[in-house]
Amino acid sequence: LEACYLQSEISNGLVNRIRSFVREAELGAYHLKRHEGLLRFLTIREGKQTGDVMVVITTSAEVFPQAEKLGSTLMETFPEVKSVIHTVNSRKAQVAFGDEEIVLAGDAVIRERLGEFIFEVSPTSFFQTNTHQAERLYRKALELADLKPEDEALDVYCGTGGISLFLSKQVRRVVGIEASEAAIQDALRNSAQNGVTNCEFIAGPAEEVLGQLKTEHFDVAVTDPPRSGMHPKALNALIMLQPERVVYVSCNPTALAQDLKRLTQAGYEVGRVQLVDMFPHTPHCEVLARLTNGSL
């Protein structure tokens, strides 16, 4: 392929320049079955609002002596590139990020703007790729949450703190939970840099952290789990907390339906469902569901 028309001009330019570099340097591709070879994945992250671009080259544990040259070449050729990262994945698992990160050129993060907030995004932390629609998604989540100034809010699977920061402007306090330590560090930096003082972020699996919060009171909970849905223990722990309102954000309607069934069995009522098209030209969309606690 010479170009992908769903990608930006800068993204296509980077792919082609890296492809040329790889061929000139005669670098080999990783072979999954033989577990040998160097190059595994190329990831390009763009800040659509800021113009910042991050390039992540994921390799096997084989020696990569040309790595720094590649990093400097990309920075010199593309002024939009603010970060070039080399990650090493020595395992057989086909994942796009490794266990070790080396900054080849530029910064360790890029920056993106959503609404009035600036976010720092590191290579492995989750951040919505379609940031134009992400802002609409977050504002719709706030609308469905029906927030009040005295509310205590819970943000489960908070990632780098996107929804948490949006919540912070309309409630007394926000507690964000995320399993990724890197994402929590991003969330803490994002909160501080945006002058937000009423957000608390806790690193750990949702099923464990929610159980530790059983003595706390939350008026509203927003949950944005991975494609598999909420961990069953996390869902049960959320039900035990008995928030008055729940906004469930899902990228997998099938998993959402399963979790909504459990929530309705526990006394919650589904009041509204909203679709947000985050991935144009694909069958995928985000779904938001608003639930209220029928026992309160």
Side-chain angles (χ1 to χ4, degrees), residues 227-263:
R227 287 194 62 80
S228 56
M230 292 189 70
H231 189 288
K233 291 183 179 178
L235 187 57
N236 288 335
L238 178 63
I239 290 169
M240 293 296 292
L241 286 172
Q242 290 287 294
E244 178 186 334
R245 286 151 281 145
V246 174
V247 177
Y248 195 125
V249 184
S250 173
C251 59
N252 183 355
T254 301
L256 171 65
Q258 293 172 349
D259 287 350
L260 290 187
K261 181 178 180 180
R262 175 72 185 93
L263 284 161

Side-chain angles (χ1 to χ4, degrees), residues 103-286:
V103 179
L104 299 178
D107 300 326
V109 298
I110 58 171
R111 291 159 184 83
E112 177 62 313
R113 178 185 295 108
L114 287 181
E116 63 187 279
F117 303 108
I118 295 290
F119 294 89
E120 286 191 355
V121 184
S122 61
T124 57
S125 59
F126 174 79
F127 199 82
Q128 293 284 359
T129 54
N130 185 341
T131 48
H132 295 295
Q133 283 293 82
E135 185 175 334
R136 294 185 178 188
L137 176 74
Y138 294 167
R139 294 198 186 283
K140 183 58 65 174
L142 266 61
E143 177 188 322
L144 296 179
D146 190 22
L147 302 169
K148 302 174 180 61
E150 297 304 309
D151 278 348
E152 302 271 337
L154 183 64
D155 183 8
V156 190
Y157 307 98
C158 68
T160 57
I163 292 177
S164 295
L165 266 60
F166 274 73
L167 288 168
S168 71
K169 292 295 183 179
Q170 298 189 34
V171 300
R172 178 196 294 174
R173 172 178 172 245
V174 182
V175 175
I177 300 170
E178 171 60 48
S180 168
E181 182 67 43
I184 286 292
Q185 292 305 315
D186 286 344
L188 290 168
R189 282 197 305 273
N190 292 332
S191 182
Q193 291 180 6
N194 285 282
V196 174
T197 58
N198 62 338
C199 284
E200 174 187 350
F201 296 101
I202 305 173
E207 57 272 22
E208 295 179 9
V209 177
L210 287 172
Q212 297 165 6
L213 296 175
K214 57 187 177 183
T215 60
E216 300 259 8
H217 167 76
F218 295 99
D219 302 282
V220 61
V222 179
T223 181
D224 186 4
R227 287 194 62 80
S228 56
M230 292 189 70
H231 189 288
K233 291 183 179 178
L235 187 57
N236 288 335
L238 178 63
I239 290 169
M240 293 296 292
L241 286 172
Q242 290 287 294
E244 178 186 334
R245 286 151 281 145
V246 174
V247 177
Y248 195 125
V249 184
S250 173
C251 59
N252 183 355
T254 301
L256 171 65
Q258 293 172 349
D259 287 350
L260 290 187
K261 181 178 180 180
R262 175 72 185 93
L263 284 161
T264 54
Q265 288 173 344
Y268 281 88
E269 300 171 356
V270 180
R272 182 176 171 188
V273 175
Q274 171 75 50
L275 303 182
V276 178
D277 187 2
M278 298 289 290
F279 314 104
H281 310 291
T282 79
H284 302 289
C285 64
E286 294 275 324

Side-chain angles (χ1 to χ4, degrees), residues 6 10 16 60 70 74 78 85 98 101 144 153-154 156 159 165 194 204 219 221 227 247:
L6 299 185
I10 178 69
N16 286 324
S60 67
L70 176 57
L74 295 179
F78 300 91
I85 308 288
E101 296 176 12
L144 296 179
L154 183 64
V156 190
L165 266 60
N194 285 282
D219 302 282
R227 287 194 62 80
V247 177

Side-chain angles (χ1 to χ4, degrees), residues 9-42:
E9 185 176 339
I10 178 69
S11 180
N12 282 315
L14 281 163
V15 170
N16 286 324
R17 183 65 188 90
I18 293 167
R19 179 184 287 146
S20 297
F21 183 96
V22 163
R23 287 174 174 164
E24 291 165 8
E26 297 183 344
L27 302 177
Y30 175 78
H31 192 288
L32 179 61
K33 290 184 178 179
R34 293 198 298 264
H35 194 44
E36 61 185 28
L38 179 67
L39 301 171
R40 300 193 66 163
F41 290 94
L42 169 64

Side-chain angles (χ1 to χ4, degrees), residues 44-90:
I44 298 171
R45 303 184 76 157
E46 293 185 62
K48 294 295 186 181
Q49 311 283 10
T50 62
D52 286 4
V53 176
M54 171 184 284
V55 179
V56 184
I57 300 106
T58 304
T59 72
S60 67
E62 288 191 8
V63 178
F64 187 12
Q66 303 90 342
E68 291 190 5
K69 182 180 179 182
L70 176 57
S72 60
T73 297
L74 295 179
M75 292 285 285
E76 292 165 5
T77 310
F78 300 91
E80 302 91 340
V81 174
K82 307 300 182 187
S83 173
V84 183
I85 308 288
H86 172 209
T87 69
V88 178
N89 176 11
S90 58

